Amino acid sequence: MAGFQSLPGFREFFPEDFSRRQHIFRVWRQSARAYGFQEYDAPVLEPLELYKAKSGDEIEAQLFSFTDKGGREVALRPEMTPTVCRLVGEKAGALKRPIKWFSVGEFYRYERAQKGRLRAFNQFNADIFGEAGPEAEIELIALLIQCLAGFGLTKDDFLIRLSDRDLWFFYLEALGLDDTQSRALLGAIDRYEKMGDDAFKGYAEAHGVLAEETKARVLAFLKIKSLPDLEAILRPFESEKLAARLADWRKVLGGLAAMGLQDFVSVDLAVVRGLAYYTGFVFEAFDRKGDLRALAGGGRYNDLIRKLGYADLPAVGFAIGDVTTGLLLEQRGLAPTFVNAPDVYAVIGGEAERAAAFADICALRAAGWRVDYPLKDVAFGKQFKIAAEAGAKLALIYGGDELAKGVVKIRDLSDRSEREVPRDQVVVAVREALGGGVE
RNA sequence: GCGGCCAUAGCUCAGUUGGUUAGAGCACAAGAUUGUGAUUCUUGGGGUCGCGGGUUCGAAUCCCGUUGGCCGCCCCA
């Protein structure tokens, strides 16, 4: 063994792993295109300042950052949001609205690897810019659902938990807390699910013990699981802000219900999301059965583009990671087995038949089919075994008997049926047998 | 950054109180098998036991260090 190891938290993708990853990327891309999103990409290496500007100096500890040979402070991208904000910001005036963009790329974080968390990972990012209303949330959450349902996952497998940072701030304000207190309390609320009552200790040390009645109201808010419950709890407050948020909630949940997606989404105000730049709705996708990390997360960040020095442009976005998604698909038996299976495997009798087979193999490949054959003479029986193990759909049989008759035998490897076709109709016959065009 | 557990073939593992040349199953390759796929049999390749040091006549085995993995904490954009 010995030699070299890959760096901690970095993965190597042998063909089997690569095909699983490609399957994930393919579902994401198909989903995004179906929803009318356009794909973009951007540099993997960025100025360190781009991330400090968004998240503060302490972020540097979790970045792959260094000084390049030109003395520039740089970092491998830990996320897409600042980059895509820059891209959109640069051309904000020239882009048709709404701007619906997505990307698939690799990201890097200098953290200790854990289950579902590595130092290099892939993310699908989707964002809508230029739409301030909750219509953007409907579109994005629907896309997120499709990005998971596209693998064959159902409402029994995952759940989108929808929350709202603005609603929390307005609610806490109505309870009499100021902005600093509210921010501190949201930190406690974020930890409440995991730590229970201890989560409030930090808040008590900084801002004094929370009044029992306030705490009870906060905990009641956390328990809300439906829109009627939310409406009921907010009814006593005469707040225009709260009423406006509630109207947005009705729109988002109503829109998703109209799409038939209501079973995928739950009101859950326990989701706060650590990052302070979220300004409204926030949401996360979770595995319903297991104890995996979040599958996806996102929300509205209306101020970020302006804070980075560009136009004032509202934005909503989310990201899905490939690591947790891969684990979930594995657990559910939804990881594909034969992503790179050939369409056709040519079974070749011997050297004499090889030339005839080559002509057809080449023609089929030029037409776009995936075609494979044994490089050297192999026993007939073994060739069928190889074809079946590779996952080929059809075997084309080039034996002495067939060629003498001017035909090729086509064997359907799934039902073992066979038929003979004239040599000059092989491409047509393969197209018929495989049902239409090349992917 | 902190703590716990672990490291033997490509994979899953066995390896006795420290004792000759470190094993099995699976996988891979060749053959039995020159015309039809999940069987069977035979044979073969593949390991300086993660790496470095120490104790010992002798270390996969005991000790120390180190690297990596898993799990948890912090963090989670």
Side-chain angles (χ1 to χ4, degrees), chain A residues 57-220:
Chain A
D57 289 350
E58 60 283 3
I59 197 75
E60 196 173 345
Q62 280 150 38
L63 290 176
F64 269 94
S65 60
F66 56 94
T67 307
D68 77 6
K69 291 179 181 177
R72 285 171 284 257
E73 293 284 317
V74 298
L76 286 167
R77 62 185 183 191
E79 59 166 327
M80 197 50 131
T81 307
T83 300
V84 70
C85 284
R86 187 188 65 218
L87 263 61
V88 168
E90 282 171 2
K91 295 197 176 175
L95 296 169
K96 285 196 201 313
R97 315 281 175 87
I99 302 157
K100 294 163 62 174
W101 283 9
F102 81 96
S103 68
V104 177
E106 193 166 35
F107 298 87
Y108 310 87
R109 294 180 188 174
Y110 199 86
E111 297 179 294
R112 192 63 165 257
Q114 276 176 42
K115 187 178 187 183
R117 183 167 86 176
L118 300 170
R119 287 186 169 182
F121 54 94
N122 295 282
Q123 271 191 352
F124 168 86
N125 276 262
D127 297 89
I128 296 181
F129 303 92
E131 177 50 64
E135 294 79 7
E137 273 84 348
I138 297 172
E139 182 77 342
L140 267 176
I141 292 170
L143 171 58
L144 171 53
I145 292 167
Q146 179 55 42
C147 280
L148 293 167
F151 296 110
L153 295 166
T154 69
K155 63 181 172 63
D156 299 321
D157 293 309
F158 72 92
L159 175 70
I160 314 278
R161 298 161 67 189
L162 182 62
S163 180
D164 184 342
R165 284 178 67 92
D166 274 353
L167 187 69
W168 265 113
F169 279 115
F170 298 158
Y171 182 65
L172 295 176
E173 188 182 60
L175 294 180
L177 277 77
D178 67 26
D179 192 64
T180 337
Q181 290 172 319
S182 294
R183 284 181 191 282
L185 194 50
L186 277 192
I189 288 161
D190 194 25
R191 291 185 189 87
Y192 182 74
E193 207 165 47
K194 193 185 270 183
M195 298 168 63
D197 240 27
D198 288 350
F200 293 103
K201 274 186 182 163
Y203 177 87
E205 281 166 21
H207 302 277
V209 178
L210 205 56
E212 275 307 313
E213 194 200 332
T214 310
K215 188 174 169 185
R217 290 189 161 198
V218 165
L219 294 181

Side-chain angles (χ1 to χ4, degrees), chain A residues 222-244:
Chain A
L222 273 172
K223 291 199 181 76
I224 295 170
K225 292 287 178 234
S226 72
L227 186 57
D229 290 351
L230 183 60
E231 287 170 328
I233 213 162
L234 293 179
R235 198 162 293 134
F237 297 94
E238 307 255 325
S239 157
E240 281 180 26
K241 288 178 180 172
L242 284 172

Side-chain angles (χ1 to χ4, degrees), chain A residues 15-78:
Chain A
E16 202 180 319
D17 312 307
F18 189 83
S19 72
R20 276 198 283 267
R21 192 181 83 176
Q22 279 306 103
H23 177 244
I24 291 173
F25 286 6
R26 189 174 303 137
V27 167
W28 287 345
R29 286 201 164 96
Q30 281 172 354
S31 304
R33 290 197 193 114
Y35 275 71
F37 283 67
Q38 291 187 290
E39 186 163 6
Y40 65 93
D41 202 358
V44 166
L45 197 63
E46 291 275 22
L48 177 60
E49 206 48 41
L50 181 63
Y51 304 110
K52 282 189 177 176
K54 178 191 157 200
S55 309
D57 289 350
E58 60 283 3
I59 197 75
E60 196 173 345
Q62 280 150 38
L63 290 176
F64 269 94
S65 60
F66 56 94
T67 307
D68 77 6
K69 291 179 181 177
R72 285 171 284 257
E73 293 284 317
V74 298
L76 286 167
R77 62 185 183 191

